[in-house]
Amino acid sequence: MSSLEDRVERELEAFIRDGVYKRLKFLDGPQAARVRMEEHGDVIILSSNNYLGLSNEPAVVEAGRRALDRFGAGTASVRFICGTFSVHRDLEAACARLVGTPASLSFVSCWNANEALPATLLGEEDIVISDQLNHASIIDGIRLGKAITKCQTAVYRHADMADLDAKLAGARDRRVRMVITDGIFSMEGSIAPLPDLLEVCRKHQAVLVLDDSHATGVLGANGRGTAEHFDVVGEIDIITSTLGKALGGAAGGFAAGSAAVCDYLTQRARPQLFSNALPPTVAASALASIEFLEAHPERVTRLRDNATYFRQRLLELGFKPLPGETPIIPVILGETSAAIQMSDLLLAEGVFVTGFGFPVVPQGQARVRCQISAAHTKDDLDQALAAFRKVGRQLKLIG
Ligand SMILES: Cc1ncc(COP(=O)(O)O)c(C=O)c1O
């Protein structure tokens, strides 16, 4: 056996032994409030980013179907080489309109968009400073940027404005100071202190980049994201977000900002220059999702009401979810094995909630993370809460 095969097999065995091996669950139907899961039947899903329930919204599915007929299955090459579809231009206009920037540029994922930014926009004279709890795609984007451009990098303590202020003060000789933060931190469900970030960035003439992947479609009265939540739409320099969560959930992402920044990314971002664009079907479904959201802000209200209801009832049952006001509601359990056990027991009760352990979250802070959707009915939420009560008592987490 080759040394590679030998190593990966040993490590896989260790994952199983340590109880951290991830077993994929197969679905035989669309993402919805309840999903059809092989071996488990119909289960309520509290573990998806389908925040607005648009994954199987008829208008969204139909838009993809129509695009398949109109544009065919694929893009067949890179945008600047073989031509770019009009649906991408329409999608990019809609993304920019939604998040409140002059322009946007789509990518096959938000991972790609985050990976493109530091490597394309920064140089050796610049620095990028990142929140300690930022998403893996931001971290890897910064690592790549550093390797390619030799830009400086730094990390500030999570949401700690004094630390960020000090780091920016120490970087005043840098040509560009870029600060990157998540809008909603996905493992905590907490919201970045955007007005404070804007103030500190302005003081130091730093560029603020906001990854709003979990906040687009979720925060603000119209789902325009963290900037709308804090009434600062139009004030963020660059916003990245995903089309793979609230906005239909298929795939794709975008970077939004000034026309010049988006044009520069079109000219120079390597994921644009050397990789196909989003399939037109996916772009059309994402566009239909944005149009649906613009016409139906009541979906965002329903999402918020559902999340408030679930959080409140969990507290009444005696659970202690992390405090917050987003549809991400984590319940901390301690060890990874405890989170996996709770997740397994809930699944046996017909409720799918993923357990997260180290290294995704810090050691000793393993958790089950509930994600609420506007698609959940009160019956779905009550049935899920009954399962939480049963399993919570079984595990002696509540009285
Ligand atoms: C904050 C954040 N950024 C980026 C991504 C990646 O998004 P995509 O699935 O579009 O690559 C995610 C997905 O989990 C995320 O949570």
Side-chain angles (χ1 to χ4, degrees), residues 109-111 114 135 137 182 186 211 213-214 242-245 252-253:
S109 66
C110 186
W111 186 289
N114 285 341
H135 187 258
S137 57
D182 277 13
S186 59
D211 176 346
S213 289
H214 281 277
T242 186
L243 305 168
K245 301 191 196 297

Side-chain angles (χ1 to χ4, degrees), residues 299-334:
R299 273 289 168 108
V300 185
T301 312
R302 197 192 312 161
L303 169 62
R304 196 157 307 140
D305 290 348
N306 276 355
T308 305
Y309 177 81
F310 193 82
R311 179 184 287 281
Q312 190 54 39
R313 294 292 176 282
L314 267 187
L315 284 165
E316 284 165 15
L317 286 175
F319 287 100
K320 294 186 178 57
L322 289 182
E325 48 182 321
T326 72
I328 298 177
I329 307 176
V331 178
I332 306 292
L333 295 165

Side-chain angles (χ1 to χ4, degrees), residues 42-315:
D42 280 359
V43 298
I44 297 168
I45 185 160
L46 292 186
S47 205
S48 136
N49 301 312
N50 183 22
Y51 294 116
L52 295 174
L54 295 183
S55 292
N56 67 341
E57 180 64 39
V60 172
V61 177
E62 183 51 31
R65 207 176 275 130
R66 278 201 310 271
L68 187 62
D69 290 339
R70 179 170 167 200
F71 298 110
T75 57
S77 183
V78 172
R79 284 172 83 168
F80 88 94
I81 296 178
C82 72
T84 187
F85 291 104
S86 52
V87 68
H88 291 101
R89 183 181 53 209
D90 297 346
L91 171 65
E92 285 159 359
C95 291
R97 189 170 72 233
L98 179 67
V99 301
T101 56
S104 91
L105 182 66
S106 61
F107 288 80
V108 289
S109 66
C110 186
W111 186 289
N112 258 214
N114 285 341
E115 206 171 72
L117 288 189
T120 313
L121 298 179
L122 300 181
E124 202 170 351
E125 311 88 332
D126 304 328
I127 185 168
V128 52
I129 310 180
S130 174
D131 187 291
Q132 179 190 6
L133 292 191
N134 274 344
H135 187 258
S137 57
I138 299 176
I139 296 170
D140 281 15
I142 290 172
R143 288 174 177 156
L144 185 68
K146 185 178 186 173
I148 291 177
T149 72
K150 302 194 172 46
C151 64
Q152 257 188 22
T153 63
V155 173
Y156 63 96
R157 281 193 297 275
H158 174 53
D160 183 334
M161 292 304 102
D163 192 31
L164 175 59
D165 186 59
K167 297 244 153 64
L168 281 167
R172 65 173 73 83
D173 62 324
R174 299 279 101 191
R175 183 183 62 175
V176 172
R177 288 162 293 283
M178 178 182 275
V179 173
I180 309 190
T181 181
D182 277 13
I184 291 180
F185 291 88
S186 59
M187 284 298 140
E188 276 61 39
S190 58
I191 305 175
L194 201 51
D196 300 340
L197 278 157
L198 276 170
E199 193 183 320
V200 178
C201 286
R202 280 184 187 136
K203 175 176 160 194
H204 295 280
Q205 294 175 314
V207 174
L208 181 59
V209 179
L210 173 71
D211 176 346
D212 236 12
S213 289
H214 281 277
T216 301
V218 170
L219 289 185
N222 301 287
R224 299 180 71 195
T226 310
E228 190 185 24
H229 177 80
F230 286 113
D231 200 17
V232 292
V233 171
E235 297 185 37
I236 315 300
D237 299 301
I238 299 175
I239 297 174
T240 62
S241 191
T242 186
L243 305 168
K245 301 191 196 297
L247 298 179
F254 61 90
S258 70
V261 162
C262 293
D263 194 15
Y264 193 83
L265 290 169
T266 308
Q267 306 303 318
R268 285 279 189 263
R270 291 167 72 83
Q272 286 287 326
L273 299 182
F274 299 104
S275 184
N276 282 14
L278 272 180
T281 47
V282 172
S285 284
L287 173 58
S289 295
I290 295 176
E291 288 166 352
F292 186 96
L293 170 60
E294 289 171 332
H296 297 281
E298 72 278 3
R299 273 289 168 108
V300 185
T301 312
R302 197 192 312 161
L303 169 62
R304 196 157 307 140
D305 290 348
N306 276 355
T308 305
Y309 177 81
F310 193 82
R311 179 184 287 281
Q312 190 54 39
R313 294 292 176 282
L314 267 187
L315 284 165

